[in-house]
mmCIF file of all heavy atoms in Angstrom:
data_model
loop_
_atom_site.group_PDB
_atom_site.id
_atom_site.type_symbol
_atom_site.label_atom_id
_atom_site.label_comp_id
_atom_site.label_asym_id
_atom_site.label_seq_id
_atom_site.Cartn_x
_atom_site.Cartn_y
_atom_site.Cartn_z
ATOM 1 N N LEU A 684 10.593 -9.668 -3.463
ATOM 2 C CA LEU A 684 11.791 -10.293 -4.016
ATOM 3 C C LEU A 684 12.692 -9.362 -4.830
ATOM 4 O O LEU A 684 13.892 -9.453 -4.766
ATOM 5 C CB LEU A 684 11.389 -11.553 -4.812
ATOM 6 C CG LEU A 684 10.802 -12.728 -4.047
ATOM 7 C CD1 LEU A 684 10.253 -13.783 -5.032
ATOM 8 C CD2 LEU A 684 11.836 -13.349 -3.122
ATOM 9 N N LEU A 685 12.026 -8.511 -5.588
ATOM 10 C CA LEU A 685 12.775 -7.524 -6.319
ATOM 11 C C LEU A 685 13.564 -6.553 -5.382
ATOM 12 O O LEU A 685 14.748 -6.227 -5.595
ATOM 13 C CB LEU A 685 11.895 -6.670 -7.247
ATOM 14 C CG LEU A 685 12.505 -5.549 -8.083
ATOM 15 C CD1 LEU A 685 13.585 -6.126 -9.012
ATOM 16 C CD2 LEU A 685 11.446 -4.828 -8.904
ATOM 17 N N ALA A 686 12.874 -6.129 -4.309
ATOM 18 C CA ALA A 686 13.560 -5.276 -3.291
ATOM 19 C C ALA A 686 14.778 -6.056 -2.729
ATOM 20 O O ALA A 686 15.832 -5.462 -2.502
ATOM 21 C CB ALA A 686 12.573 -4.925 -2.222
ATOM 22 N N LYS A 687 14.590 -7.309 -2.392
ATOM 23 C CA LYS A 687 15.647 -8.153 -1.870
ATOM 24 C C LYS A 687 16.796 -8.240 -2.790
ATOM 25 O O LYS A 687 17.988 -8.029 -2.435
ATOM 26 C CB LYS A 687 15.088 -9.536 -1.555
ATOM 27 C CG LYS A 687 16.020 -10.425 -0.753
ATOM 28 C CD LYS A 687 15.873 -10.129 0.751
ATOM 29 C CE LYS A 687 16.580 -11.150 1.536
ATOM 30 N NZ LYS A 687 16.433 -10.881 2.963
ATOM 31 N N LYS A 688 16.515 -8.466 -4.095
ATOM 32 C CA LYS A 688 17.566 -8.537 -5.069
ATOM 33 C C LYS A 688 18.310 -7.238 -5.240
ATOM 34 O O LYS A 688 19.515 -7.210 -5.638
ATOM 35 C CB LYS A 688 17.006 -9.083 -6.401
ATOM 36 C CG LYS A 688 16.519 -10.533 -6.384
ATOM 37 C CD LYS A 688 15.861 -10.934 -7.693
ATOM 38 C CE LYS A 688 15.274 -12.312 -7.653
ATOM 39 N NZ LYS A 688 14.509 -12.679 -8.828
ATOM 40 N N ALA A 689 17.565 -6.136 -5.058
ATOM 41 C CA ALA A 689 18.195 -4.820 -5.203
ATOM 42 C C ALA A 689 18.997 -4.389 -4.005
ATOM 43 O O ALA A 689 19.557 -3.308 -4.038
ATOM 44 C CB ALA A 689 17.090 -3.820 -5.439
ATOM 45 N N GLY A 690 19.015 -5.225 -2.938
ATOM 46 C CA GLY A 690 19.781 -4.862 -1.766
ATOM 47 C C GLY A 690 19.053 -3.932 -0.857
ATOM 48 O O GLY A 690 19.650 -3.345 0.038
ATOM 49 N N MET A 691 17.745 -3.809 -1.035
ATOM 50 C CA MET A 691 16.944 -2.901 -0.176
ATOM 51 C C MET A 691 16.573 -3.630 1.156
ATOM 52 O O MET A 691 16.432 -4.824 1.201
ATOM 53 C CB MET A 691 15.645 -2.463 -0.932
ATOM 54 C CG MET A 691 16.013 -1.565 -2.136
ATOM 55 S SD MET A 691 14.588 -1.429 -3.258
ATOM 56 C CE MET A 691 15.129 0.003 -4.209
ATOM 57 N N LYS A 692 16.364 -2.790 2.217
ATOM 58 C CA LYS A 692 16.096 -3.368 3.513
ATOM 59 C C LYS A 692 14.721 -3.118 4.036
ATOM 60 O O LYS A 692 14.296 -3.692 5.022
ATOM 61 C CB LYS A 692 17.133 -2.750 4.525
ATOM 62 C CG LYS A 692 18.569 -3.007 4.193
ATOM 63 C CD LYS A 692 18.888 -4.544 4.206
ATOM 64 C CE LYS A 692 20.384 -4.755 3.910
ATOM 65 N NZ LYS A 692 20.658 -6.200 3.804
ATOM 66 N N TYR A 693 13.954 -2.231 3.381
ATOM 67 C CA TYR A 693 12.590 -1.991 3.789
ATOM 68 C C TYR A 693 11.749 -1.533 2.609
ATOM 69 O O TYR A 693 12.299 -1.146 1.587
ATOM 70 C CB TYR A 693 12.490 -0.884 4.901
ATOM 71 C CG TYR A 693 13.087 0.474 4.534
ATOM 72 C CD1 TYR A 693 12.244 1.465 4.054
ATOM 73 C CD2 TYR A 693 14.441 0.814 4.686
ATOM 74 C CE1 TYR A 693 12.718 2.710 3.714
ATOM 75 C CE2 TYR A 693 14.919 2.008 4.309
ATOM 76 C CZ TYR A 693 14.053 3.003 3.856
ATOM 77 O OH TYR A 693 14.552 4.222 3.504
ATOM 78 N N ILE A 694 10.447 -1.694 2.740
ATOM 79 C CA ILE A 694 9.487 -1.350 1.723
ATOM 80 C C ILE A 694 8.426 -0.373 2.278
ATOM 81 O O ILE A 694 7.916 -0.605 3.368
ATOM 82 C CB ILE A 694 8.784 -2.606 1.156
ATOM 83 C CG1 ILE A 694 9.707 -3.394 0.227
ATOM 84 C CG2 ILE A 694 7.537 -2.232 0.386
ATOM 85 C CD1 ILE A 694 9.149 -4.699 -0.271
ATOM 86 N N VAL A 695 8.175 0.692 1.539
ATOM 87 C CA VAL A 695 7.144 1.652 1.864
ATOM 88 C C VAL A 695 6.073 1.517 0.748
ATOM 89 O O VAL A 695 6.364 1.828 -0.357
ATOM 90 C CB VAL A 695 7.645 3.076 1.989
ATOM 91 C CG1 VAL A 695 6.514 4.013 2.450
ATOM 92 C CG2 VAL A 695 8.828 3.130 2.922
ATOM 93 N N ILE A 696 4.863 1.088 1.125
ATOM 94 C CA ILE A 696 3.813 0.948 0.074
ATOM 95 C C ILE A 696 2.702 1.980 0.395
ATOM 96 O O ILE A 696 2.343 2.199 1.540
ATOM 97 C CB ILE A 696 3.250 -0.512 0.009
ATOM 98 C CG1 ILE A 696 2.246 -0.544 -1.142
ATOM 99 C CG2 ILE A 696 2.633 -0.955 1.319
ATOM 100 C CD1 ILE A 696 1.909 -2.046 -1.558
ATOM 101 N N THR A 697 2.101 2.457 -0.695
ATOM 102 C CA THR A 697 1.027 3.473 -0.624
ATOM 103 C C THR A 697 -0.305 2.790 -0.102
ATOM 104 O O THR A 697 -1.123 2.439 -0.915
ATOM 105 C CB THR A 697 0.777 4.225 -1.892
ATOM 106 O OG1 THR A 697 0.640 3.192 -2.926
ATOM 107 C CG2 THR A 697 1.978 5.075 -2.246
ATOM 108 N N SER A 698 -0.469 2.628 1.174
ATOM 109 C CA SER A 698 -1.717 2.023 1.643
ATOM 110 C C SER A 698 -2.911 2.829 1.340
ATOM 111 O O SER A 698 -3.976 2.311 1.047
ATOM 112 C CB SER A 698 -1.567 1.813 3.148
ATOM 113 O OG SER A 698 -1.482 3.034 3.822
ATOM 114 N N LYS A 699 -2.775 4.106 1.323
ATOM 115 C CA LYS A 699 -3.848 5.073 0.823
ATOM 116 C C LYS A 699 -3.166 6.312 0.367
ATOM 117 O O LYS A 699 -2.489 7.007 1.071
ATOM 118 C CB LYS A 699 -4.844 5.429 1.950
ATOM 119 C CG LYS A 699 -5.940 6.385 1.439
ATOM 120 C CD LYS A 699 -6.793 6.931 2.536
ATOM 121 C CE LYS A 699 -6.102 8.101 3.265
ATOM 122 N NZ LYS A 699 -6.772 9.355 3.261
ATOM 123 N N HIS A 700 -3.354 6.571 -0.980
ATOM 124 C CA HIS A 700 -2.793 7.781 -1.516
ATOM 125 C C HIS A 700 -3.822 8.905 -1.473
ATOM 126 O O HIS A 700 -4.825 8.750 -0.781
ATOM 127 C CB HIS A 700 -2.291 7.529 -2.928
ATOM 128 C CG HIS A 700 -1.162 8.464 -3.347
ATOM 129 N ND1 HIS A 700 -1.331 9.701 -3.873
ATOM 130 C CD2 HIS A 700 0.159 8.315 -3.305
ATOM 131 C CE1 HIS A 700 -0.220 10.274 -4.173
ATOM 132 N NE2 HIS A 700 0.804 9.485 -3.804
ATOM 133 N N HIS A 701 -3.491 10.017 -2.107
ATOM 134 C CA HIS A 701 -4.435 11.193 -2.040
ATOM 135 C C HIS A 701 -5.826 10.904 -2.576
ATOM 136 O O HIS A 701 -6.762 11.612 -2.246
ATOM 137 C CB HIS A 701 -3.817 12.362 -2.834
ATOM 138 C CG HIS A 701 -2.442 12.729 -2.391
ATOM 139 N ND1 HIS A 701 -2.029 12.717 -1.072
ATOM 140 C CD2 HIS A 701 -1.370 13.235 -3.138
ATOM 141 C CE1 HIS A 701 -0.759 13.075 -1.039
ATOM 142 N NE2 HIS A 701 -0.332 13.434 -2.234
ATOM 143 N N ASP A 702 -5.963 9.901 -3.467
ATOM 144 C CA ASP A 702 -7.226 9.572 -4.021
ATOM 145 C C ASP A 702 -8.192 8.983 -3.035
ATOM 146 O O ASP A 702 -9.377 8.745 -3.335
ATOM 147 C CB ASP A 702 -7.106 8.637 -5.247
ATOM 148 C CG ASP A 702 -6.436 7.335 -4.994
ATOM 149 O OD1 ASP A 702 -6.143 7.034 -3.780
ATOM 150 O OD2 ASP A 702 -6.186 6.572 -5.927
ATOM 151 N N GLY A 703 -7.734 8.637 -1.807
ATOM 152 C CA GLY A 703 -8.595 8.160 -0.737
ATOM 153 C C GLY A 703 -8.881 6.639 -0.814
ATOM 154 O O GLY A 703 -9.650 6.189 0.043
ATOM 155 N N VAL A 704 -8.314 5.957 -1.787
ATOM 156 C CA VAL A 704 -8.577 4.496 -1.962
ATOM 157 C C VAL A 704 -7.657 3.693 -1.063
ATOM 158 O O VAL A 704 -6.450 3.735 -1.248
ATOM 159 C CB VAL A 704 -8.476 4.105 -3.461
ATOM 160 C CG1 VAL A 704 -8.860 2.664 -3.593
ATOM 161 C CG2 VAL A 704 -9.323 4.991 -4.329
ATOM 162 N N ALA A 705 -8.256 2.878 -0.168
ATOM 163 C CA ALA A 705 -7.494 2.000 0.675
ATOM 164 C C ALA A 705 -7.099 0.753 -0.140
ATOM 165 O O ALA A 705 -7.974 0.200 -0.848
ATOM 166 C CB ALA A 705 -8.228 1.590 1.895
ATOM 167 N N LEU A 706 -5.880 0.244 -0.056
ATOM 168 C CA LEU A 706 -5.443 -0.901 -0.697
ATOM 169 C C LEU A 706 -6.016 -2.202 -0.008
ATOM 170 O O LEU A 706 -6.077 -3.245 -0.619
ATOM 171 C CB LEU A 706 -3.970 -1.054 -0.859
ATOM 172 C CG LEU A 706 -3.251 -0.003 -1.755
ATOM 173 C CD1 LEU A 706 -1.814 -0.401 -1.994
ATOM 174 C CD2 LEU A 706 -3.910 0.118 -3.090
ATOM 175 N N TRP A 707 -6.301 -2.026 1.248
ATOM 176 C CA TRP A 707 -6.852 -3.215 1.949
ATOM 177 C C TRP A 707 -8.375 -3.073 2.174
ATOM 178 O O TRP A 707 -8.946 -2.041 1.906
ATOM 179 C CB TRP A 707 -6.146 -3.218 3.395
ATOM 180 C CG TRP A 707 -6.604 -2.228 4.363
ATOM 181 C CD1 TRP A 707 -7.405 -2.365 5.437
ATOM 182 C CD2 TRP A 707 -6.205 -0.811 4.411
ATOM 183 N NE1 TRP A 707 -7.629 -1.253 6.119
ATOM 184 C CE2 TRP A 707 -6.852 -0.229 5.503
ATOM 185 C CE3 TRP A 707 -5.415 0.009 3.581
ATOM 186 C CZ2 TRP A 707 -6.754 1.133 5.820
ATOM 187 C CZ3 TRP A 707 -5.299 1.358 3.913
ATOM 188 C CH2 TRP A 707 -5.926 1.874 5.036
ATOM 189 N N ASN A 708 -8.966 -4.108 2.658
ATOM 190 C CA ASN A 708 -10.439 -4.147 2.822
ATOM 191 C C ASN A 708 -10.805 -3.419 4.080
ATOM 192 O O ASN A 708 -11.235 -4.013 5.124
ATOM 193 C CB ASN A 708 -10.908 -5.554 2.802
ATOM 194 C CG ASN A 708 -12.446 -5.671 2.701
ATOM 195 O OD1 ASN A 708 -13.113 -4.667 2.383
ATOM 196 N ND2 ASN A 708 -12.973 -6.833 2.902
ATOM 197 N N SER A 709 -10.705 -2.102 4.051
ATOM 198 C CA SER A 709 -10.937 -1.281 5.287
ATOM 199 C C SER A 709 -12.426 -1.375 5.689
ATOM 200 O O SER A 709 -13.317 -1.237 4.842
ATOM 201 C CB SER A 709 -10.548 0.149 5.032
ATOM 202 O OG SER A 709 -10.873 0.921 6.116
ATOM 203 N N LYS A 710 -12.636 -1.530 6.919
ATOM 204 C CA LYS A 710 -14.025 -1.503 7.473
ATOM 205 C C LYS A 710 -14.530 -0.091 7.592
ATOM 206 O O LYS A 710 -15.721 0.092 7.782
ATOM 207 C CB LYS A 710 -14.050 -2.240 8.817
ATOM 208 C CG LYS A 710 -13.650 -3.702 8.805
ATOM 209 C CD LYS A 710 -13.674 -4.294 10.243
ATOM 210 C CE LYS A 710 -13.284 -5.732 10.170
ATOM 211 N NZ LYS A 710 -11.896 -5.943 9.702
ATOM 212 N N VAL A 711 -13.677 0.878 7.468
ATOM 213 C CA VAL A 711 -14.006 2.264 7.652
ATOM 214 C C VAL A 711 -14.695 2.846 6.437
ATOM 215 O O VAL A 711 -15.626 3.688 6.560
ATOM 216 C CB VAL A 711 -12.735 3.125 8.038
ATOM 217 C CG1 VAL A 711 -13.114 4.576 8.138
ATOM 218 C CG2 VAL A 711 -12.118 2.576 9.256
ATOM 219 N N SER A 712 -14.318 2.403 5.258
ATOM 220 C CA SER A 712 -14.844 2.993 4.029
ATOM 221 C C SER A 712 -15.017 1.875 2.972
ATOM 222 O O SER A 712 -14.260 0.918 2.898
ATOM 223 C CB SER A 712 -13.789 3.996 3.509
ATOM 224 O OG SER A 712 -14.154 4.470 2.195
ATOM 225 N N ASP A 713 -16.046 2.061 2.162
ATOM 226 C CA ASP A 713 -16.302 1.139 1.035
ATOM 227 C C ASP A 713 -15.385 1.466 -0.154
ATOM 228 O O ASP A 713 -15.384 0.684 -1.096
ATOM 229 C CB ASP A 713 -17.764 1.205 0.609
ATOM 230 C CG ASP A 713 -18.696 0.625 1.600
ATOM 231 O OD1 ASP A 713 -18.284 -0.229 2.395
ATOM 232 O OD2 ASP A 713 -19.890 0.991 1.580
ATOM 233 N N TYR A 714 -14.745 2.568 -0.091
ATOM 234 C CA TYR A 714 -13.866 3.031 -1.140
ATOM 235 C C TYR A 714 -12.496 2.378 -0.979
ATOM 236 O O TYR A 714 -11.513 3.054 -0.609
ATOM 237 C CB TYR A 714 -13.835 4.532 -1.146
ATOM 238 C CG TYR A 714 -13.534 5.142 -2.507
ATOM 239 C CD1 TYR A 714 -14.491 4.852 -3.556
ATOM 240 C CD2 TYR A 714 -12.537 6.023 -2.770
ATOM 241 C CE1 TYR A 714 -14.279 5.423 -4.821
ATOM 242 C CE2 TYR A 714 -12.357 6.570 -4.024
ATOM 243 C CZ TYR A 714 -13.228 6.263 -5.019
ATOM 244 O OH TYR A 714 -13.043 6.872 -6.276
ATOM 245 N N SER A 715 -12.442 1.082 -1.255
ATOM 246 C CA SER A 715 -11.123 0.351 -1.109
ATOM 247 C C SER A 715 -11.008 -0.467 -2.357
ATOM 248 O O SER A 715 -11.934 -0.819 -3.048
ATOM 249 C CB SER A 715 -11.144 -0.571 0.126
ATOM 250 O OG SER A 715 -12.039 -1.602 -0.011
ATOM 251 N N LEU A 716 -9.751 -0.838 -2.647
ATOM 252 C CA LEU A 716 -9.405 -1.601 -3.889
ATOM 253 C C LEU A 716 -10.080 -2.978 -3.910
ATOM 254 O O LEU A 716 -10.679 -3.344 -4.904
ATOM 255 C CB LEU A 716 -7.924 -1.688 -4.051
ATOM 256 C CG LEU A 716 -7.438 -2.343 -5.312
ATOM 257 C CD1 LEU A 716 -7.935 -1.645 -6.555
ATOM 258 C CD2 LEU A 716 -5.913 -2.522 -5.346
#
């Protein structure tokens, strides 16, 4: 909603940054948020 109010058209989210932690419940690794 903040992106929408700011007039932005797309969102890029860090699904996995350099720390190797997946934001989703990845079946590949137990190292997820």
Side-chain angles (χ1 to χ4, degrees):
L684 289 172
L685 179 59
K687 190 83 171 179
K688 292 174 183 175
M691 294 164 162
K692 301 298 184 183
Y693 61 94
I694 285 176
V695 184
I696 186 167
T697 51
S698 64
K699 180 190 79 121
H700 207 275
H701 305 324
D702 59 5
V704 182
L706 292 192
W707 73 103
N708 191 10
S709 174
K710 298 179 179 63
V711 175
S712 169
D713 289 336
Y714 210 55
S715 69
L716 186 58

